[in-house]
Amino acid sequence: MEERLNKWLSQMGVCSRREADRLIEAGKVLVDNRPASMGQKVTPGQKVVCNGKMVRVDRSQRPRPVLLAVNKPKGIVCTTTDKDRAENIVDFLGYPERIYPVGRLDKDSEGLLLMTNQGDLVNKSMRSGNAHEKEYQVVVDRPVTAEFLARMEKGVRLKELDRTTLPCKVRKTGDKRFSIVLTQGLNRQIRRMCEACGCHVRSLKRVRVMNICLGD
């Protein structure tokens, strides 16, 4: 029975479908010793190599479900490609089974990151369209004003992405500190929002995803 390669890699706990597509596009996935193509399907018995590692052949041997809540430090990237020239979260953890991140935190951010080998969790439960809350603690380089909070809460136009962010919850927690709860996940969203409002992020920490909170 044929199955899409990116879906199969996700089900086998190798990476998310999105990450699989990136690896395929980068030429890092081989099927029967040939570079895979986007949208390719695979059948039982084919040899699949991802990032230089052989993926188990027996498709009946699905890995046991794993879901970890990880406190990602700054300087660690969430991608398994080498474009950032930095240690990735998979190598950093050294977990004995294949796992990959649910969503992302950029290299300069820290905090709660979910790691799993369950592709359906990534592609169904956690997609931004389901409006799951993610909460962050942020420090900026200027005092947090009522005008700043109102603008952030209403939604900010991001010219570089040609998008306006969805309304969100924002609360001042200090002179230059605030917490923000998002239900979407645009690239570097909070940093872009702050820059559009005339300030820059000094530190950013995710403390909650849905009902999963980062411990003290």
Side-chain angles (χ1 to χ4, degrees), residues 93-111:
L93 288 178
Y95 195 74
E97 297 186 33
R98 291 177 188 253
I99 54 174
Y100 47 85
V102 178
R104 291 190 171 195
L105 276 176
D106 65 57
K107 181 179 176 182
D108 296 322
S109 300
E110 60 183 310

Side-chain angles (χ1 to χ4, degrees), residues 42-92:
V42 290
T43 57
Q46 288 189 284
K47 174 184 175 183
V48 179
V49 175
C50 182
N51 252 348
K53 298 180 180 179
M54 175 77 73
V55 182
R56 72 181 75 191
V57 176
D58 187 351
R59 300 179 188 206
S60 66
Q61 296 180 9
R62 295 290 195 253
R64 69 181 181 88
V66 175
L67 177 62
L68 304 178
V70 176
N71 186 2
K72 185 192 90 68
K74 291 175 62 175
I76 301 296
V77 297
C78 293
T79 177
T80 56
T81 63
D82 56 5
K83 67 176 183 178
D84 292 289
R85 305 291 183 186
E87 185 177 16
N88 68 63
I89 189 65
V90 174
D91 293 338
F92 173 76

Side-chain angles (χ1 to χ4, degrees), residues 114 121 125-126 132-134 208-213:
L114 303 183
L121 176 65
S125 300
M126 298 301 295
H132 292 305
E133 289 189 346
K134 295 176 291 256
R208 179 171 64 87
V209 175
M210 297 186 295
N211 62 345
I212 303 173
C213 299

Side-chain angles (χ1 to χ4, degrees), residues 126-145:
M126 298 301 295
R127 62 178 53 162
S128 59
N130 289 336
H132 292 305
E133 289 189 346
K134 295 176 291 256
E135 183 175 353
Y136 303 80
Q137 295 176 349
V138 188
V139 179
V140 291
D141 61 350
R142 293 186 181 183
V144 174
T145 64

Side-chain angles (χ1 to χ4, degrees), residues 9-23:
L9 288 171
S10 174
Q11 289 177 337
M12 299 310 293
V14 176
C15 58
S16 67
R17 293 192 200 185
R18 184 177 297 179
E19 183 70 8
D21 285 338
R22 279 190 286 266
L23 291 170

Side-chain angles (χ1 to χ4, degrees), residues 70-72 111-113 205-208 212-216:
V70 176
N71 186 2
K72 185 192 90 68
L112 179 61
L113 182 68
K205 184 175 185 178
R206 184 158 63 197
V207 296
R208 179 171 64 87
I212 303 173
C213 299
L214 189 66
D216 295 331

